Every structure is written in structure tokens, then in C-alpha cells.
Amino acid sequence: MTERLSYDVTGSGPVLLLVPGGAGHPMGLGPFTERLAHRFTVVTYDPLGLAHGRLGLPVPDQRPADWSEGAHRVLEAVLPPDEQAYVFGTSSGGIAVLELLARHPRRLAHVVAHEPPCVTVLPDGRERREELIGQLDGPGRPPAEGADATPMGVFLTHVLRPFSAHIPAITAAGDRLTLAVGTDSRGQLLYRTGELLAERFGCPAVEFPGGHLGTLDHAEEFADLLAEALLSSARTSS
């Protein structure tokens, strides 16, 4: 039996699929989504259904391939035949949308991946991954299951390690991919990762407002720049 998909739809215009970071819970993205909804039909995918009644239930370790296949099924459900969608993913969602582009490019008009933490692509990636995990996953980890479960607990327990070990399939993305990095992330690990991925994919690395949480801390400014990047890609390709 196919597992139920969890997603929300708001706005009008061309379809823009959002894949949040962390454990995929869209918490805090309201202002960002509302701003984008002025120009797009925004489809916010919740891969684990944490915002749709599943927080606290058992969760297995996650794989980018599973998130990307779920995202593809969402697009098949909401996209009219023969149309393409814009896609944006941040953090772990950025890894998922890179996987989506590798697996299902036909339904995608343009993909923006914001600071995907697949740091093992770096020459010193194994060491940097251990540092990243050590910084985030220290003592006092919040629970991932039960009445006190939190999205952060799910992320630290079931998402951080497998996603940060993921190495994206490098395909000829052409003009259908943008790697987004934060202006406040300059000199940091995920900025380096984004630059290297952009070089390998042969696509631009574009600075967006704020740091890794720019979608939350600079919601409207970030949304406006994202909208312009997506719509300008459409004008360029037409």
C-alpha cells in the first residue's frame, strides 16, 4: 500500500514545490510561504508528515531517495499533464531536491538547492562531516518519539547522519539548477559545499540573504530573490 503523502497548497500561479530542511517539518516557514504565494501555487511537502499528525510516531532512518520519490509523487498529484514545476529545497531538503533532479528531471523547470549539507563531497569531507555532527548532535538530544518528540529530535536521530553522508549524482544540470548559499555563511562549511557542488554541476552559486536559516530570518527578502531567480530562469529558457 502506498503511504499517504502530506503536503499543503496555497497561492496561485505556476507550481513551486518547497521541501523544508531539518526533518521536513515546515515550522516557521509561514511568512516565507505567504510571500511566495503572491506569485506561485506553493506546494509545501512534509516528507514525514510531522506537521500532519505523525510527530511522535516511530520513524526509520531517512534516505534522500525516499524524500525525492515522495516529492515526485506530490508533483504527479498536483501538476497538470505536460507541465513542469519549480522546486526549492533548503538544508536536508536541498539534498532531496538534488536527488529529485537526478531522478525526475522531466517534470522540473528549475531547481534551487539552498546549502545542502552533503559535506562529504569536499576533499576533507569525512572530517568535516564528523565536526558537523559533533556540533549539532551533542548531549541532551531532544526525543524523536513519544509525547515529547520534537522535529529537531527526529532530525538529529534519523536525518542528519544519512543525509550528510549522501553524495549527489552529478548530472549535466545545465540551466535548470542553482546552488544557493547564504551571505552570512561566507567562509563556512556549507558555503564551501555549495560552491563545490555548483562547480561540479556546472551551474551558478548565488548568494541569498542571511545564513543557513535565511528562509526564516529574512523570509520576505529571501522569497523575493527566489521568485526572481525562478522566473528569470523561465524567461531565459523561453
Side-chain angles (χ1 to χ4, degrees):
M1 183 177 67
T2 303
E3 188 173 347
R4 176 175 60 87
L5 295 172
S6 298
Y7 60 93
D8 296 294
V9 181
T10 186
S12 60
V15 171
L16 168 57
L17 176 70
L18 299 185
V19 185
H25 193 298
M27 59 184 179
L29 288 179
F32 179 66
T33 302
E34 290 166 12
R35 187 76 167 189
L36 289 167
H38 294 300
R39 303 204 215 182
F40 300 94
T41 298
V42 182
V43 181
T44 304
Y45 178 38
D46 178 7
L48 300 179
L50 300 184
H52 293 80
R54 291 194 54 83
L55 182 60
L57 299 179
V59 174
D61 286 347
Q62 296 299 292
R63 300 187 309 157
D66 294 333
W67 285 28
S68 73
E69 288 307 304
H72 175 63
R73 287 169 53 213
V74 170
L75 289 180
E76 291 297 298
V78 301
L79 266 183
D82 301 321
E83 287 193 15
Q84 293 182 316
Y86 298 110
V87 178
F88 172 77
T90 182
S91 191
S92 50
I95 295 177
V97 301
L98 290 177
E99 186 75 4
L100 178 64
L101 179 61
R103 289 168 173 262
H104 302 287
R106 186 180 64 85
R107 301 307 306 269
L108 312 181
H110 196 86
V111 174
V112 176
H114 176 242
E115 297 204 351
C118 38
V119 298
T120 49
V121 300
L122 295 167
D124 56 348
R126 185 171 298 180
E127 295 81 5
R128 301 290 79 78
R129 176 174 175 263
E130 290 305 313
E131 289 179 5
L132 177 66
I133 291 172
Q135 291 168 5
L136 295 175
D137 192 11
R141 177 198 297 174
E145 296 181 11
D148 297 325
T150 68
M152 179 57 76
V154 177
F155 168 68
L156 294 175
T157 305
H158 297 296
V159 180
L160 173 61
R161 289 179 179 274
F163 272 60
S164 60
H166 180 70
I167 298 179
I170 305 298
T171 59
D175 58 359
R176 278 202 284 184
L177 175 64
T178 296
L179 261 296
V181 290
T183 56
D184 294 346
S185 299
R186 292 173 189 166
Q188 297 179 13
L189 176 62
L190 297 185
Y191 196 102
R192 287 176 53 209
T193 303
E195 285 187 311
L196 180 59
L197 286 172
E199 179 182 335
R200 292 191 177 180
F201 276 104
C203 71
V206 177
E207 286 193 344
F208 276 70
H212 195 59
L213 300 180
T215 54
L216 306 180
D217 299 335
H218 301 272
E220 293 191 354
E221 186 182 359
F222 197 115
D224 289 344
L225 183 56
L226 175 61
E228 287 304 316
L230 294 173
L231 295 176
S232 65
S233 72
R235 291 191 291 269
T236 301
S237 61
S238 61

